[in-house]
Every structure is written in C-alpha cells, then in structure tokens.
Amino acid sequence: MHFQFSEEHLMIQQAARDFAQTELKPGVIERDEHQKFPAEQVKKLGELGFMGMMVDPKYNGSGMDAISYVLVMEELSKIDASTSVVVSVNNSLVCFGIEHFGSEEQKEKYLKPLASGEKIGAFCLSEPEAGSDATSQHTTAIDMGDHYLLNGTKNWITNGSSASTYLVIAQTDVSKGHKGINALIVERGMPGFTIGLKENKLGIRGSDTHSLMFTDVKVPKENRIGEDGFGFKFAMKTLEGGRIGIAAQALGIASGAFELATQYAKERKTFGKPISDHQIIAFKLADMATEIEAARLMVLKAAWLKDNGLPYAQASSMAKLFASEVAMKTTVEAVQIHGGYGFVKEYHVERLMRDAKITQIYEGTSEIQKVVISREILK
Ligand code: CAA
C-alpha cells in the first residue's frame, strides 16, 4: 500500500483545479442566483475529456481510472457543485451504465456522444412516490412486442432539460416485483415525452432539476438495457459507482469551505490578532482538516476498490455517508468562522453550505446508505 498519486493523477488534478479557478469561479454566484445552467462550462469540460472520464477511448472516453475521477470531482466541487453534479451524473451513472450493461449498438449510438460531452445524459429513477423505496416504480413500460409503451412521471431529475439521453427505470410486470423492472434509453424528442417545471432549489441551483412526463412514449425494444427484468439491478449496480462521485462532490464542498475558512481566519483580526491565533478557531480548523482527511481516504478507497475490480458497494455507501456529513458540518463551521461575512453571497461559504445538504439526500439519503452498509456487514 502506498499513499501517493502518480504523476498522471497530479496532472489531472491540476487541470481540474485550473479549470475550476478560471472557468467556474467567475460566474458561480450569478449562476446560483439565477439558476443558470453551466452550458458553456460543461461543453469545455467535454473538450477536456471530463464528461466520459472512465469510458474506453474506443467509445470516445478518456480511459482514466476512478481515482482520477474522484480528484476531478473534488476540485470542481470546491468551487461549483452545480457543475460537478452534471459531471457526476453523466460519468458515473449514465456513461457507466451504458458502457457496462448496454449492447454494442447502444454504446455506438448513445455512449459515444455522451462520453465526448457532445450530449448530456440523465438518470431517471426517482418518482413522486418512489425515492428511497426504489422498487415501488409507478412508471410503466408495457411490452408491445417490438417496443415498450412508457407512461408515468419522474421527479427531481438532474440534467432534466439539458440532457438528450435519459435512462428511465420503469415497471413492465408488477407481479414480478423488482424482477419486472426494466431500464430503457429514452431520447429527448420522442413523441409523448415532455419536460416538466424546473425545481426552485435550496442548493446546486445552477443544475437543472425537473420532473419528466411520459405519455404513451414508444421506446424501441433495442433500447432496453440488459435482459428483460434487469432494470432494478441495473439501477443498484450503477448507483454503487454514482455514490463514489457524490462522495467526492461532498469532499470537494467540504475542502472548498475549509480552504476559504482557513484563509479568512489568517486575514481577519479581532482583539488585536488574526482570529486563527484564537485557539477556539484554530481547533475548529483542526477538526475540519481531520474529518476532511478521513473522508478523502474513504472516497479514494472506494475508487481504488472499483479500479481493482473488487466489491465496492459498502465502501461507496460508507464514503458517501461520511463525506456528506463532513460536508454539512464543515460548511456550517466555515460560515461561523466568517461571522457576518459568511452570511453574504460574496464570500461563497453560504452557497457551499446550501450545496452540501443535497449530498445527504441524492443517490440515496444517509438513511439509505445505512441500509446498504448494514446489509453488507450482516450478510
Ligand atoms: N447490486 C446488484 N443487485 C442488487 C444490489 C446491488 N448493489 N442491491 C440490491 N440488489 C438486488 C438484490 O440482490 C435483490 O435481488 P434478488 O431478489 O435477486 O436477491 C434485489 O436487487 C432487490 O434488492 P433489495 O431487496 O435489497 O431491495 P429493497 O427494496 O430492499 O431496496 C435499497 C434496497 C438499497 C433501499 C434501494 O431501494 C435503494 O438503493 N434505494 C435508494 C435509491 C436511490 O439511491 N435513489 C437515488 C436516485 S438517482 C439520483 O439521485 C441521481 C441524481 O439525479 C443525482
């Protein structure tokens, strides 16, 4: 075991850090304020090879490992979690799902433009009545011979209006429970597919979160991923890796807030000295640094397990659970250290605090991570 990044990892990390400073930071407050999708920035991330990072170069991907992906997610999330969630969903849910479980034709047709960043993908599992309880799908995909007839509503879909390719989980045969669920690739523009209103959110406001409506959408049979009834397992397997991405996002939010708080604490003076010289502030920084380091090790371990073909369901849920709690705690403390300045937008920490909350909710709440972890340790 050695705790050192390769030269290549460090170069990728630096490229992401530079991109975040030059391309994400300048407009981040405005995008948050006006809920503006980072379209230009996402296009440039595609040109850098960050939209299909782990995809095989033969499908237009960058062929990088999950460690690189974590490093990029952390750097982008330090500055702009609204952009990093677009990167995360495209990479670890949509590209991963199609590359690992899709047919050769699906990879040619759908994965290639997603991995190059020419198109954006969305992962559609949640419903008005199926968030944590993911087997309770009300969206139906009725087998009509050569196609499925898709009907239903999906909620809180990241990249809802910016995507072109949607992975939709739906129930084909309710009598079979989770074994009657399928995953279908749905294209934007298919007749009967409409995009609902955009959610007005607490955090990650630059990302576009929508409900989606399907009314008698004809989805060709060849757009089903895997065998009939594989949809639920597909969603679970894909979320295992997705949770590494969100854990890395939480880590980035925490480290971004920590860096700002440390810098501020060294500059701001009270009672004749920098506030970092007051032990109560120095100890807060020590606690934040320690917890962030623990989260980083957990996220990297989950990525390392994935890179080495070892089981990572438990590790990714543990990393997400812990890193998202650290993100919440650290950002609240960062606002506190900034005092009144922390409460205003120009100092960035209030946004990081709002953004942190979603990492405890999406891709499985903290409670769901505990379900996954406890089942893994008890089985
Ligand atoms: N890999 C493979 N198979 C798996 C699996 C995994 N990781 N997890 C479960 N399965 C299989 C089980 O083995 C079982 O199959 P068998 O019957 O053949 O043994 C089947 O799936 C059903 O599993 P469970 O009985 O465990 O299912 P459950 O109903 O108890 O639910 C759950 C399990 C973990 C709670 C699951 O429902 C879950 O993860 N819920 C949270 C969903 C979620 O994360 N949603 C996020 C939406 S996506 C998102 O947020 C993206 C975004 O926009 C950012």
Side-chain angles (χ1 to χ4, degrees):
M1 178 177 290
H2 67 103
F3 288 91
Q4 245 178 352
F5 294 121
S6 68
E7 282 298 311
E8 200 187 339
H9 286 141
L10 293 173
M11 275 170 56
I12 293 164
Q13 183 186 46
Q14 191 60 48
R17 193 171 288 161
D18 293 344
F19 183 89
Q21 284 298 331
T22 57
E23 303 287 344
L24 297 183
K25 197 168 179 187
V28 66
I29 294 175
E30 200 211 334
R31 288 195 299 278
D32 173 72
E33 178 105 16
H34 301 292
Q35 298 199 84
K36 190 165 175 271
F37 184 78
E40 260 174 57
Q41 290 77 4
V42 171
K43 189 168 174 284
K44 288 182 184 167
L45 284 163
E47 286 158 10
L48 273 177
F50 288 168
M51 293 304 281
M53 288 191 67
M54 294 165 286
V55 174
D56 191 318
K58 77 176 173 186
Y59 301 117
N60 294 345
S62 303
M64 296 180 200
D65 57 11
I67 300 275
S68 306
Y69 171 58
V70 161
L71 293 175
V72 169
M73 278 299 297
E74 180 181 352
E75 292 305 321
L76 301 181
S77 307
K78 279 183 188 174
I79 305 293
D80 184 4
S82 292
T83 300
S84 72
V85 70
V86 181
V87 174
S88 183
V89 168
N90 201 70
N91 273 281
S92 50
L93 294 180
V94 185
C95 286
F96 175 87
I98 301 176
E99 182 172 28
H100 289 266
F101 304 108
S103 67
E104 205 47 46
E105 293 72 27
Q106 290 167 352
K107 291 178 201 176
E108 283 295 323
K109 185 171 175 187
Y110 296 110
L111 179 58
K112 280 185 164 180
L114 287 166
S116 65
E118 188 193 321
K119 289 186 174 170
I120 298 175
F123 186 81
C124 315
L125 173 66
S126 305
E127 297 189 352
E129 291 169 78
S132 294
D133 184 5
T135 52
S136 293
Q137 294 291 309
H138 285 62
T139 297
T140 52
I142 304 304
D143 190 338
M144 306 296 282
D146 65 341
H147 67 271
Y148 288 101
L149 204 56
L150 187 64
N151 279 288
T153 301
K154 293 287 172 183
N155 260 24
W156 311 292
I157 303 303
T158 304
N159 302 339
S161 68
S162 56
S164 302
T165 306
Y166 298 78
L167 302 187
V168 181
I169 311 299
Q171 187 82 52
T172 294
D173 186 344
V174 76
S175 69
K176 291 185 182 161
H178 72 80
K179 292 192 170 90
I181 291 175
N182 279 308
L184 306 177
I185 304 177
V186 177
E187 291 175 32
R188 188 194 179 92
M190 280 181 169
F193 174 19
T194 47
I195 293 160
L197 286 179
K198 184 170 171 170
E199 302 291 354
N200 187 2
K201 309 190 296 281
L202 171 74
I204 56 160
R205 288 171 55 80
S207 69
D208 61 325
T209 308
H210 288 256
S211 53
L212 306 176
M213 276 79 78
F214 305 96
T215 310
D216 289 339
V217 180
K218 282 185 178 178
V219 184
K221 263 285 171 64
E222 62 263 26
N223 282 25
R224 186 186 71 214
I225 299 185
E227 294 297 306
D228 184 29
F230 178 64
F232 187 72
K233 289 197 178 177
F234 166 81
M236 293 299 110
K237 292 296 303 170
T238 304
L239 280 165
E240 282 180 13
R243 288 168 184 155
I244 299 178
I246 299 306
Q249 180 186 51
L251 170 65
I253 293 171
S255 19
F258 170 73
E259 284 175 14
L260 289 169
T262 307
Q263 191 187 333
Y264 181 82
K266 287 195 215 161
E267 287 163 7
R268 171 75 171 167
K269 288 199 172 102
T270 60
F271 306 102
K273 56 184 179 182
I275 60 170
S276 58
D277 285 1
H278 298 299
Q279 201 175 52
I280 194 149
I281 300 295
F283 279 12
K284 271 187 201 292
L285 293 172
D287 283 341
M288 287 155 95
T290 306
E291 287 173 3
I292 289 169
E293 189 58 13
R296 184 174 289 113
L297 291 173
M298 291 177 80
V299 180
L300 287 169
K301 184 185 172 192
W304 180 87
L305 289 169
K306 182 166 186 280
D307 283 336
N308 286 279
L310 296 163
Y312 56 92
Q314 182 181 322
S316 67
S317 280
M318 282 181 166
K320 182 185 178 291
L321 174 65
F322 188 76
S324 60
E325 281 176 10
V326 170
M328 206 59 245
K329 232 169 120 180
T330 307
T331 53
V332 168
E333 286 292 44
V335 171
Q336 191 67 23
I337 289 172
H338 278 76
Y341 290 108
F343 211 60
V344 296
K345 293 189 184 296
E346 285 69 21
Y347 284 77
H348 298 284
V349 282
E350 64 81 34
R351 186 187 67 260
L352 291 167
M353 184 179 84
R354 288 185 285 107
D355 289 350
K357 187 62 203 167
I358 193 62
T359 66
Q360 294 182 308
I361 298 172
Y362 58 19
E363 299 201 22
T365 58
S366 296
E367 293 74 15
I368 288 295
Q369 305 317 316
K370 290 181 191 180
V371 171
V372 175
I373 297 161
S374 57
R375 284 185 185 177
E376 287 287 327
I377 58 180
L378 293 171
K379 79 182 178 191

PDB file of all heavy atoms in Angstrom, residues 158-185:
ATOM      1  N   THR A 158     -31.878  15.282 -12.322  1.00  0.00           N
ATOM      2  CA  THR A 158     -30.723  16.131 -12.621  1.00  0.00           C
ATOM      3  C   THR A 158     -30.484  16.111 -14.129  1.00  0.00           C
ATOM      4  O   THR A 158     -30.596  15.049 -14.755  1.00  0.00           O
ATOM      5  CB  THR A 158     -29.477  15.583 -11.887  1.00  0.00           C
ATOM      6  OG1 THR A 158     -29.773  15.505 -10.498  1.00  0.00           O
ATOM      7  CG2 THR A 158     -28.264  16.477 -12.106  1.00  0.00           C
ATOM      8  N   ASN A 159     -30.145  17.257 -14.696  1.00  0.00           N
ATOM      9  CA  ASN A 159     -29.958  17.431 -16.149  1.00  0.00           C
ATOM     10  C   ASN A 159     -31.284  17.255 -16.891  1.00  0.00           C
ATOM     11  O   ASN A 159     -31.296  16.958 -18.097  1.00  0.00           O
ATOM     12  CB  ASN A 159     -28.923  16.447 -16.745  1.00  0.00           C
ATOM     13  CG  ASN A 159     -27.564  16.559 -16.094  1.00  0.00           C
ATOM     14  OD1 ASN A 159     -27.248  17.575 -15.496  1.00  0.00           O
ATOM     15  ND2 ASN A 159     -26.755  15.517 -16.205  1.00  0.00           N
ATOM     16  N   GLY A 160     -32.399  17.451 -16.157  1.00  0.00           N
ATOM     17  CA  GLY A 160     -33.728  17.194 -16.726  1.00  0.00           C
ATOM     18  C   GLY A 160     -33.982  17.837 -18.068  1.00  0.00           C
ATOM     19  O   GLY A 160     -34.501  17.184 -18.984  1.00  0.00           O
ATOM     20  N   SER A 161     -33.600  19.131 -18.221  1.00  0.00           N
ATOM     21  CA  SER A 161     -33.896  19.779 -19.507  1.00  0.00           C
ATOM     22  C   SER A 161     -32.657  19.929 -20.382  1.00  0.00           C
ATOM     23  O   SER A 161     -32.776  20.279 -21.553  1.00  0.00           O
ATOM     24  CB  SER A 161     -34.529  21.166 -19.280  1.00  0.00           C
ATOM     25  OG  SER A 161     -33.568  22.021 -18.715  1.00  0.00           O
ATOM     26  N   SER A 162     -31.477  19.673 -19.830  1.00  0.00           N
ATOM     27  CA  SER A 162     -30.264  19.851 -20.650  1.00  0.00           C
ATOM     28  C   SER A 162     -29.830  18.534 -21.298  1.00  0.00           C
ATOM     29  O   SER A 162     -28.995  18.540 -22.207  1.00  0.00           O
ATOM     30  CB  SER A 162     -29.126  20.398 -19.790  1.00  0.00           C
ATOM     31  OG  SER A 162     -28.914  19.551 -18.686  1.00  0.00           O
ATOM     32  N   ALA A 163     -30.391  17.421 -20.837  1.00  0.00           N
ATOM     33  CA  ALA A 163     -29.974  16.123 -21.377  1.00  0.00           C
ATOM     34  C   ALA A 163     -30.596  15.843 -22.743  1.00  0.00           C
ATOM     35  O   ALA A 163     -31.595  16.460 -23.134  1.00  0.00           O
ATOM     36  CB  ALA A 163     -30.361  15.018 -20.400  1.00  0.00           C
ATOM     37  N   SER A 164     -29.961  14.900 -23.448  1.00  0.00           N
ATOM     38  CA  SER A 164     -30.530  14.388 -24.698  1.00  0.00           C
ATOM     39  C   SER A 164     -30.863  12.912 -24.558  1.00  0.00           C
ATOM     40  O   SER A 164     -31.673  12.372 -25.299  1.00  0.00           O
ATOM     41  CB  SER A 164     -29.511  14.518 -25.837  1.00  0.00           C
ATOM     42  OG  SER A 164     -29.133  15.846 -25.983  1.00  0.00           O
ATOM     43  N   THR A 165     -30.168  12.260 -23.622  1.00  0.00           N
ATOM     44  CA  THR A 165     -30.314  10.805 -23.451  1.00  0.00           C
ATOM     45  C   THR A 165     -30.717  10.522 -22.000  1.00  0.00           C
ATOM     46  O   THR A 165     -30.020  10.954 -21.073  1.00  0.00           O
ATOM     47  CB  THR A 165     -28.962  10.113 -23.763  1.00  0.00           C
ATOM     48  OG1 THR A 165     -28.557  10.536 -25.064  1.00  0.00           O
ATOM     49  CG2 THR A 165     -29.077   8.606 -23.719  1.00  0.00           C
ATOM     50  N   TYR A 166     -31.818   9.793 -21.843  1.00  0.00           N
ATOM     51  CA  TYR A 166     -32.371   9.559 -20.496  1.00  0.00           C
ATOM     52  C   TYR A 166     -32.430   8.060 -20.225  1.00  0.00           C
ATOM     53  O   TYR A 166     -32.988   7.309 -21.035  1.00  0.00           O
ATOM     54  CB  TYR A 166     -33.789  10.143 -20.412  1.00  0.00           C
ATOM     55  CG  TYR A 166     -33.840  11.645 -20.617  1.00  0.00           C
ATOM     56  CD1 TYR A 166     -33.749  12.193 -21.899  1.00  0.00           C
ATOM     57  CD2 TYR A 166     -33.972  12.505 -19.546  1.00  0.00           C
ATOM     58  CE1 TYR A 166     -33.788  13.573 -22.094  1.00  0.00           C
ATOM     59  CE2 TYR A 166     -34.006  13.885 -19.725  1.00  0.00           C
ATOM     60  CZ  TYR A 166     -33.919  14.415 -20.996  1.00  0.00           C
ATOM     61  OH  TYR A 166     -33.949  15.771 -21.191  1.00  0.00           O
ATOM     62  N   LEU A 167     -31.856   7.648 -19.102  1.00  0.00           N
ATOM     63  CA  LEU A 167     -32.002   6.244 -18.696  1.00  0.00           C
ATOM     64  C   LEU A 167     -33.205   6.189 -17.763  1.00  0.00           C
ATOM     65  O   LEU A 167     -33.176   6.760 -16.660  1.00  0.00           O
ATOM     66  CB  LEU A 167     -30.749   5.748 -17.966  1.00  0.00           C
ATOM     67  CG  LEU A 167     -29.423   5.832 -18.736  1.00  0.00           C
ATOM     68  CD1 LEU A 167     -28.306   5.149 -17.954  1.00  0.00           C
ATOM     69  CD2 LEU A 167     -29.548   5.205 -20.118  1.00  0.00           C
ATOM     70  N   VAL A 168     -34.265   5.550 -18.224  1.00  0.00           N
ATOM     71  CA  VAL A 168     -35.530   5.568 -17.472  1.00  0.00           C
ATOM     72  C   VAL A 168     -35.826   4.174 -16.909  1.00  0.00           C
ATOM     73  O   VAL A 168     -35.865   3.186 -17.647  1.00  0.00           O
ATOM     74  CB  VAL A 168     -36.699   6.026 -18.386  1.00  0.00           C
ATOM     75  CG1 VAL A 168     -38.015   6.074 -17.604  1.00  0.00           C
ATOM     76  CG2 VAL A 168     -36.401   7.398 -18.993  1.00  0.00           C
ATOM     77  N   ILE A 169     -36.046   4.139 -15.600  1.00  0.00           N
ATOM     78  CA  ILE A 169     -36.369   2.873 -14.927  1.00  0.00           C
ATOM     79  C   ILE A 169     -37.899   2.777 -14.843  1.00  0.00           C
ATOM     80  O   ILE A 169     -38.558   3.723 -14.409  1.00  0.00           O
ATOM     81  CB  ILE A 169     -35.759   2.840 -13.501  1.00  0.00           C
ATOM     82  CG1 ILE A 169     -34.271   3.255 -13.509  1.00  0.00           C
ATOM     83  CG2 ILE A 169     -35.951   1.470 -12.849  1.00  0.00           C
ATOM     84  CD1 ILE A 169     -33.337   2.392 -14.310  1.00  0.00           C
ATOM     85  N   ALA A 170     -38.456   1.657 -15.263  1.00  0.00           N
ATOM     86  CA  ALA A 170     -39.925   1.530 -15.286  1.00  0.00           C
ATOM     87  C   ALA A 170     -40.353   0.083 -15.065  1.00  0.00           C
ATOM     88  O   ALA A 170     -39.599  -0.864 -15.318  1.00  0.00           O
ATOM     89  CB  ALA A 170     -40.459   2.028 -16.635  1.00  0.00           C
ATOM     90  N   GLN A 171     -41.587  -0.050 -14.601  1.00  0.00           N
ATOM     91  CA  GLN A 171     -42.143  -1.372 -14.269  1.00  0.00           C
ATOM     92  C   GLN A 171     -42.819  -1.981 -15.502  1.00  0.00           C
ATOM     93  O   GLN A 171     -43.718  -1.371 -16.078  1.00  0.00           O
ATOM     94  CB  GLN A 171     -43.185  -1.179 -13.159  1.00  0.00           C
ATOM     95  CG  GLN A 171     -43.739  -2.438 -12.584  1.00  0.00           C
ATOM     96  CD  GLN A 171     -42.832  -3.054 -11.518  1.00  0.00           C
ATOM     97  OE1 GLN A 171     -42.434  -2.387 -10.584  1.00  0.00           O
ATOM     98  NE2 GLN A 171     -42.508  -4.326 -11.675  1.00  0.00           N
ATOM     99  N   THR A 172     -42.382  -3.183 -15.878  1.00  0.00           N
ATOM    100  CA  THR A 172     -43.022  -3.855 -17.012  1.00  0.00           C
ATOM    101  C   THR A 172     -44.062  -4.850 -16.511  1.00  0.00           C
ATOM    102  O   THR A 172     -45.148  -4.966 -17.057  1.00  0.00           O
ATOM    103  CB  THR A 172     -41.963  -4.570 -17.886  1.00  0.00           C
ATOM    104  OG1 THR A 172     -41.144  -3.556 -18.469  1.00  0.00           O
ATOM    105  CG2 THR A 172     -42.587  -5.412 -18.984  1.00  0.00           C
ATOM    106  N   ASP A 173     -43.704  -5.595 -15.447  1.00  0.00           N
ATOM    107  CA  ASP A 173     -44.614  -6.613 -14.940  1.00  0.00           C
ATOM    108  C   ASP A 173     -44.652  -6.513 -13.413  1.00  0.00           C
ATOM    109  O   ASP A 173     -43.737  -6.992 -12.723  1.00  0.00           O
ATOM    110  CB  ASP A 173     -44.122  -7.998 -15.377  1.00  0.00           C
ATOM    111  CG  ASP A 173     -45.104  -9.085 -15.010  1.00  0.00           C
ATOM    112  OD1 ASP A 173     -46.004  -8.828 -14.174  1.00  0.00           O
ATOM    113  OD2 ASP A 173     -44.963 -10.205 -15.546  1.00  0.00           O
ATOM    114  N   VAL A 174     -45.717  -5.879 -12.922  1.00  0.00           N
ATOM    115  CA  VAL A 174     -45.787  -5.602 -11.490  1.00  0.00           C
ATOM    116  C   VAL A 174     -45.838  -6.890 -10.654  1.00  0.00           C
ATOM    117  O   VAL A 174     -45.350  -6.931  -9.516  1.00  0.00           O
ATOM    118  CB  VAL A 174     -46.976  -4.637 -11.204  1.00  0.00           C
ATOM    119  CG1 VAL A 174     -48.308  -5.338 -11.273  1.00  0.00           C
ATOM    120  CG2 VAL A 174     -46.813  -3.933  -9.869  1.00  0.00           C
ATOM    121  N   SER A 175     -46.352  -7.979 -11.252  1.00  0.00           N
ATOM    122  CA  SER A 175     -46.466  -9.235 -10.498  1.00  0.00           C
ATOM    123  C   SER A 175     -45.084  -9.822 -10.176  1.00  0.00           C
ATOM    124  O   SER A 175     -44.949 -10.657  -9.287  1.00  0.00           O
ATOM    125  CB  SER A 175     -47.297 -10.258 -11.296  1.00  0.00           C
ATOM    126  OG  SER A 175     -46.562 -10.677 -12.431  1.00  0.00           O
ATOM    127  N   LYS A 176     -44.071  -9.383 -10.908  1.00  0.00           N
ATOM    128  CA  LYS A 176     -42.722  -9.917 -10.663  1.00  0.00           C
ATOM    129  C   LYS A 176     -41.903  -9.047  -9.704  1.00  0.00           C
ATOM    130  O   LYS A 176     -40.718  -9.307  -9.499  1.00  0.00           O
ATOM    131  CB  LYS A 176     -41.974 -10.038 -11.994  1.00  0.00           C
ATOM    132  CG  LYS A 176     -42.517 -11.110 -12.921  1.00  0.00           C
ATOM    133  CD  LYS A 176     -41.613 -11.222 -14.135  1.00  0.00           C
ATOM    134  CE  LYS A 176     -42.127 -12.248 -15.116  1.00  0.00           C
ATOM    135  NZ  LYS A 176     -41.543 -12.056 -16.452  1.00  0.00           N
ATOM    136  N   GLY A 177     -42.507  -7.985  -9.153  1.00  0.00           N
ATOM    137  CA  GLY A 177     -41.772  -7.110  -8.217  1.00  0.00           C
ATOM    138  C   GLY A 177     -40.567  -6.495  -8.894  1.00  0.00           C
ATOM    139  O   GLY A 177     -40.645  -6.073 -10.047  1.00  0.00           O
ATOM    140  N   HIS A 178     -39.426  -6.492  -8.166  1.00  0.00           N
ATOM    141  CA  HIS A 178     -38.243  -5.837  -8.755  1.00  0.00           C
ATOM    142  C   HIS A 178     -37.741  -6.559  -9.999  1.00  0.00           C
ATOM    143  O   HIS A 178     -37.052  -5.976 -10.839  1.00  0.00           O
ATOM    144  CB  HIS A 178     -37.135  -5.680  -7.705  1.00  0.00           C
ATOM    145  CG  HIS A 178     -36.459  -6.960  -7.329  1.00  0.00           C
ATOM    146  ND1 HIS A 178     -35.484  -7.540  -8.093  1.00  0.00           N
ATOM    147  CD2 HIS A 178     -36.628  -7.783  -6.256  1.00  0.00           C
ATOM    148  CE1 HIS A 178     -35.068  -8.650  -7.523  1.00  0.00           C
ATOM    149  NE2 HIS A 178     -35.749  -8.831  -6.409  1.00  0.00           N
ATOM    150  N   LYS A 179     -38.130  -7.843 -10.146  1.00  0.00           N
ATOM    151  CA  LYS A 179     -37.678  -8.600 -11.337  1.00  0.00           C
ATOM    152  C   LYS A 179     -38.503  -8.243 -12.578  1.00  0.00           C
ATOM    153  O   LYS A 179     -38.228  -8.725 -13.675  1.00  0.00           O
ATOM    154  CB  LYS A 179     -37.738 -10.103 -11.054  1.00  0.00           C
ATOM    155  CG  LYS A 179     -36.700 -10.537 -10.020  1.00  0.00           C
ATOM    156  CD  LYS A 179     -36.552 -12.055  -9.951  1.00  0.00           C
ATOM    157  CE  LYS A 179     -35.367 -12.476  -9.116  1.00  0.00           C
ATOM    158  NZ  LYS A 179     -35.638 -12.674  -7.699  1.00  0.00           N
ATOM    159  N   GLY A 180     -39.528  -7.400 -12.388  1.00  0.00           N
ATOM    160  CA  GLY A 180     -40.341  -6.954 -13.529  1.00  0.00           C
ATOM    161  C   GLY A 180     -39.991  -5.542 -13.964  1.00  0.00           C
ATOM    162  O   GLY A 180     -40.726  -4.924 -14.734  1.00  0.00           O
ATOM    163  N   ILE A 181     -38.847  -5.031 -13.477  1.00  0.00           N
ATOM    164  CA  ILE A 181     -38.456  -3.638 -13.798  1.00  0.00           C
ATOM    165  C   ILE A 181     -37.426  -3.627 -14.931  1.00  0.00           C
ATOM    166  O   ILE A 181     -36.537  -4.480 -14.984  1.00  0.00           O
ATOM    167  CB  ILE A 181     -37.903  -2.948 -12.524  1.00  0.00           C
ATOM    168  CG1 ILE A 181     -39.055  -2.730 -11.516  1.00  0.00           C
ATOM    169  CG2 ILE A 181     -37.211  -1.634 -12.848  1.00  0.00           C
ATOM    170  CD1 ILE A 181     -38.631  -2.160 -10.170  1.00  0.00           C
ATOM    171  N   ASN A 182     -37.565  -2.651 -15.827  1.00  0.00           N
ATOM    172  CA  ASN A 182     -36.602  -2.512 -16.932  1.00  0.00           C
ATOM    173  C   ASN A 182     -35.978  -1.122 -16.951  1.00  0.00           C
ATOM    174  O   ASN A 182     -36.554  -0.159 -16.429  1.00  0.00           O
ATOM    175  CB  ASN A 182     -37.279  -2.780 -18.275  1.00  0.00           C
ATOM    176  CG  ASN A 182     -37.385  -4.278 -18.537  1.00  0.00           C
ATOM    177  OD1 ASN A 182     -36.385  -5.002 -18.453  1.00  0.00           O
ATOM    178  ND2 ASN A 182     -38.596  -4.750 -18.808  1.00  0.00           N
ATOM    179  N   ALA A 183     -34.804  -1.042 -17.569  1.00  0.00           N
ATOM    180  CA  ALA A 183     -34.128   0.250 -17.788  1.00  0.00           C
ATOM    181  C   ALA A 183     -34.141   0.513 -19.289  1.00  0.00           C
ATOM    182  O   ALA A 183     -33.663  -0.318 -20.074  1.00  0.00           O
ATOM    183  CB  ALA A 183     -32.697   0.188 -17.275  1.00  0.00           C
ATOM    184  N   LEU A 184     -34.702   1.655 -19.682  1.00  0.00           N
ATOM    185  CA  LEU A 184     -34.825   1.977 -21.115  1.00  0.00           C
ATOM    186  C   LEU A 184     -34.059   3.251 -21.448  1.00  0.00           C
ATOM    187  O   LEU A 184     -34.038   4.201 -20.640  1.00  0.00           O
ATOM    188  CB  LEU A 184     -36.299   2.194 -21.486  1.00  0.00           C
ATOM    189  CG  LEU A 184     -37.287   1.078 -21.140  1.00  0.00           C
ATOM    190  CD1 LEU A 184     -38.707   1.506 -21.521  1.00  0.00           C
ATOM    191  CD2 LEU A 184     -36.921  -0.232 -21.834  1.00  0.00           C
ATOM    192  N   ILE A 185     -33.475   3.280 -22.634  1.00  0.00           N
ATOM    193  CA  ILE A 185     -32.833   4.519 -23.098  1.00  0.00           C
ATOM    194  C   ILE A 185     -33.884   5.299 -23.880  1.00  0.00           C
ATOM    195  O   ILE A 185     -34.401   4.834 -24.893  1.00  0.00           O
ATOM    196  CB  ILE A 185     -31.616   4.230 -23.993  1.00  0.00           C
ATOM    197  CG1 ILE A 185     -30.608   3.322 -23.258  1.00  0.00           C
ATOM    198  CG2 ILE A 185     -30.966   5.533 -24.432  1.00  0.00           C
ATOM    199  CD1 ILE A 185     -29.394   2.922 -24.090  1.00  0.00           C
TER     200      ILE A 185
END
